[in-house]
Amino acid sequence: MKIKLRFLGAARNVTGSRYLLEVNSVRLLVDCGLYQEREFQGRNWDPFTIPPNTLDAVLLTHAHLDHCGLLPKLVREGFQGRIYCTTATSEIAQIILLDSAHLQEEDAEFKRKRHEREGRRGPFPEIPLYTVEDAKASLPLFSPVKYGEHVQIGNVVEATFYDAGHVLGSSMVKVVVSQGEEKRAIIFSGDVGRWDRPILQDPNIFSKADYVIVESTYGDSVHEEPAEIGDKLAEIVNSTHKAGGNILVPSFALQRTQEVLYYLNELLVQDRIPHLIVFLDSPMAISITEVFKRHSEMFDQDMMKLLQHRRSPFDFPCLKMVQTADESKSLNHIAGTIMIIAGSGMCTGGRIKHHLVTNISRPESAILFVGYQAMGTLGRQIVNGARKVRILGQEYPVRARIAQIRGFSAHADRDELLRWLSGLIVAPKHVFVTHGEAKVAEQFGEFLREKTGWEVSVPDYMEEVLLK
Ligand SMILES: [Zn+2]
């Protein structure tokens, strides 16, 4: 048996997920993600390690940019094979890749103008990493598959997708390599989701594998109990309604927004909050919510029950979709309490900025954070208690109530990762820990070794291993 596995990304860092698997003459990539951490973004510009036209296929675990965001570049540089993923992932990836290409174009133009004005050059070329045209050219290569369906690649590799319970359509991929009588099973965890979360099924458990590549984003910590999300949300909505202010929710378009709608719907059904109007003010989040509506076959039982009782969290009576920018601006003239869910999730761009301008200095309003706020973002400044913030070129005092609900997370924590791996009844030959900050991955690797006695390592960027 001779299988080569190379770690081209998310090795001792969190983003840029990309693995090259080579068996005989078959070559495939598992994920083709964008590097999003500032210190690694330069790698997005590096030429691909092997000529993209020599690749047979890409197996895509899910539609987050750090897993799919470099596909348009791969296609522009010659990849012509198929991109296998679930139908929901392909539909969401199309929305996300077009948006990403659009942002790349805008960014390049902005930088070009700024550098021209300042008479200097930046570290990266002032051209987009890829264009909207490049993104569009990658779309016909998407080949949707169902969970559990076998995909044959060449005559030695068979890939099967299983529910990861992370975001809609997300997968873990099992690759079985056959040579003569021998077979090896390699499992790529993708991003591992969580048990008992709203909307989605629980992550699939595997009982046997020879090799496992496991993510470790939260491999060093244990999440807060999700049970309190509803209570906290109810308290924030009710007290802001009483005060007569608005509630702003900066939110990510995929999964987080739909989960917020789920909890709101639940509170409305239980009559625990007033029937205030909820505006979903993000064309991308609206499009992604439409994908959710089309793929109820992926929902868990509780969600199916809601649909049977015509209580869909994506259609409740006071939920309004806001498409145009003019409509969005008009929301600021509505008297009485409303809730606005808008992107971007960390307040770095998008329509949330306009709503912050109108509300952040009003003591009766509330800004509710439901997601991670990275260092250096406006969201992080606000969460950290800044007294004044700069938004769209002007300074505003922060007087609104700043609230945070931490229970939302689409990633398994340390104990949940162990729970997922503990499904394996026979020790795998080796476990590779990836997709986590170096320290976190090391820590999780150590934890896993202690708990299981398995052979575990944290591969380096560009490291190649031979799987026997
Ligand atoms: Zn993800």
Side-chain angles (χ1 to χ4, degrees):
M1 200 52 91
K2 208 174 153 197
I3 307 163
K4 275 201 278 185
L5 173 65
R6 196 156 182 205
F7 299 89
L8 304 183
R12 294 178 179 268
N13 77 297
V14 188
T15 64
S17 210
R18 208 184 325 154
Y19 309 101
L20 174 65
L21 196 70
E22 293 181 85
V23 191
N24 301 347
S25 61
V26 176
R27 279 176 157 180
L28 53 94
L29 278 188
V30 178
D31 287 340
C32 187
L34 194 72
Y35 280 98
Q36 292 173 302
E37 294 122 305
R38 193 172 280 271
E39 56 176 315
F40 298 117
Q41 279 174 9
R43 289 183 189 168
N44 290 328
W45 296 88
D46 291 347
F48 287 104
T49 328
I50 53 156
N53 63 359
T54 64
L55 279 169
D56 295 280
V58 175
L59 309 176
L60 176 61
T61 61
H62 65 289
H64 274 147
L65 273 183
D66 61 325
H67 292 257
C68 73
L70 222 48
L71 284 168
K73 183 175 177 245
L74 188 78
V75 174
R76 188 187 61 212
E77 293 179 11
F79 175 69
Q80 291 173 333
R82 288 177 180 224
I83 301 164
Y84 293 106
C85 60
T86 62
T87 314
T89 293
S90 99
E91 289 174 19
I92 298 167
Q94 304 197 359
I95 296 165
I96 285 184
L97 289 177
L98 288 172
D99 179 72
S100 166
H102 188 74
L103 288 177
Q104 301 277 357
E105 287 185 0
E106 263 181 11
D107 250 26
E109 183 57 19
F110 177 78
K111 279 192 189 120
R112 193 186 61 75
K113 281 191 179 146
R114 197 180 64 194
H115 292 158
E116 206 174 78
R117 216 172 38 236
E118 296 169 359
R120 66 182 184 95
R121 294 196 67 86
F124 308 121
E126 296 133 341
I127 50 168
L129 184 60
Y130 50 81
T131 62
V132 169
E133 285 311 304
D134 297 329
K136 281 185 181 159
S138 70
L139 305 185
L141 303 185
F142 279 86
S143 301
V145 295
K146 291 197 174 76
Y147 287 135
E149 184 185 328
H150 302 309
V151 180
Q152 189 73 34
I153 302 153
N155 49 5
V156 287
V157 177
E158 184 188 81
T160 315
F161 291 70
Y162 297 90
D163 202 334
H166 167 60
V167 295
L168 189 78
S170 65
S171 307
M172 298 160 167
V173 184
K174 181 173 166 184
V175 173
V176 176
V177 177
S178 312
Q179 283 177 344
E181 292 296 294
E182 287 198 89
K183 275 185 200 294
R184 295 289 180 273
I186 308 157
I187 290 170
F188 293 86
S189 74
D191 284 354
V192 182
R194 306 178 64 194
W195 281 262
D196 307 318
R197 297 289 302 163
I199 308 171
L200 302 181
Q201 305 265 14
D202 292 343
N204 188 76
I205 296 275
F206 298 87
S207 57
K208 261 172 76 182
D210 295 292
Y211 297 94
V212 181
I213 292 87
V214 63
E215 66 119 332
S216 59
T217 316
Y218 290 102
D220 66 337
S221 52
V222 179
H223 293 318
E224 206 175 282
E225 279 291 311
E228 289 180 358
I229 292 177
D231 294 343
K232 282 188 181 167
L233 188 58
E235 186 276 315
I236 293 159
V237 172
N238 285 320
S239 60
T240 314
H241 181 252
K242 211 165 149 195
N246 292 329
I247 307 150
L248 303 188
V249 186
S251 186
F252 299 96
L254 169 56
Q255 202 63 36
R256 192 60 43 91
T257 290
Q258 292 78 24
E259 284 185 18
V260 170
L261 295 178
Y262 180 96
Y263 283 106
L264 280 171
N265 183 53
E266 199 172 44
L267 294 175
L268 285 165
V269 169
Q270 295 165 353
D271 226 3
R272 292 176 63 194
I273 54 170
H275 284 248
L276 77 175
I277 306 178
V278 176
F279 293 97
L280 182 50
D281 186 14
S282 154
M284 182 149 89
I286 295 169
S287 304
I288 292 177
T289 304
E290 288 301 318
V291 179
F292 273 72
K293 287 190 196 172
R294 283 200 293 275
H295 290 286
S296 55
E297 80 281 2
M298 293 187 156
F299 295 162
D300 67 3
Q301 263 186 355
D302 291 346
M303 184 68 181
M304 290 309 285
K305 257 188 221 151
L306 283 177
L307 296 190
Q308 279 156 13
H309 291 98
R310 299 183 188 282
R311 298 269 196 192
S312 168
F314 309 136
D315 274 326
F316 57 85
C318 42
L319 174 62
K320 306 278 176 241
M321 306 293 180
V322 182
Q323 287 285 6
T324 69
D326 283 346
E327 267 180 279
S328 170
K329 283 174 193 155
S330 73
L331 301 185
N332 296 319
H333 304 295
I334 298 174
T337 297
I338 57 171
M339 180 185 268
I340 303 172
I341 304 171
S344 71
M346 300 189 202
C347 310
T348 48
R351 294 181 179 176
I352 194 72
K353 286 194 155 186
H354 296 278
H355 300 307
L356 283 171
V357 164
T358 321
N359 285 283
I360 201 157
S361 305
R362 293 177 62 193
E364 65 274 26
S365 286
I367 324 287
L368 168 60
F369 289 91
V370 292
Y372 174 72
Q373 304 299 311
M375 291 265 276
T377 60
L378 175 58
R380 180 70 162 251
Q381 282 175 39
I382 299 173
V383 163
N384 278 358
R387 308 274 294 272
K388 280 189 245 163
V389 287
R390 228 181 148 70
I391 310 167
L392 300 169
Q394 225 178 312
E395 205 160 75
Y396 297 88
V398 180
R399 296 204 190 96
R401 172 181 176 191
I402 308 302
Q404 205 173 4
I405 299 181
R406 294 175 191 275
F408 291 98
S409 176
H411 279 275
D413 63 13
R414 187 196 67 186
D415 295 351
E416 289 163 325
L417 286 172
L418 180 67
R419 176 175 177 182
W420 179 68
L421 286 158
S422 300
L424 297 168
I425 42 181
V426 184
K429 293 184 204 297
H430 200 98
V431 177
F432 300 96
V433 179
T434 61
H435 200 289
E437 284 171 20
K439 246 166 75 191
V440 176
E442 287 285 4
Q443 218 173 310
F444 180 68
E446 195 53 52
F447 171 77
L448 191 58
R449 253 188 305 265
E450 255 170 49
K451 292 280 177 192
T452 61
W454 296 346
E455 219 183 271
V456 182
S457 66
V458 180
D460 284 322
Y461 173 56
M462 287 298 195
E463 189 176 328
E464 186 175 83
V465 292
L466 212 55
L467 310 183
K468 292 172 191 158

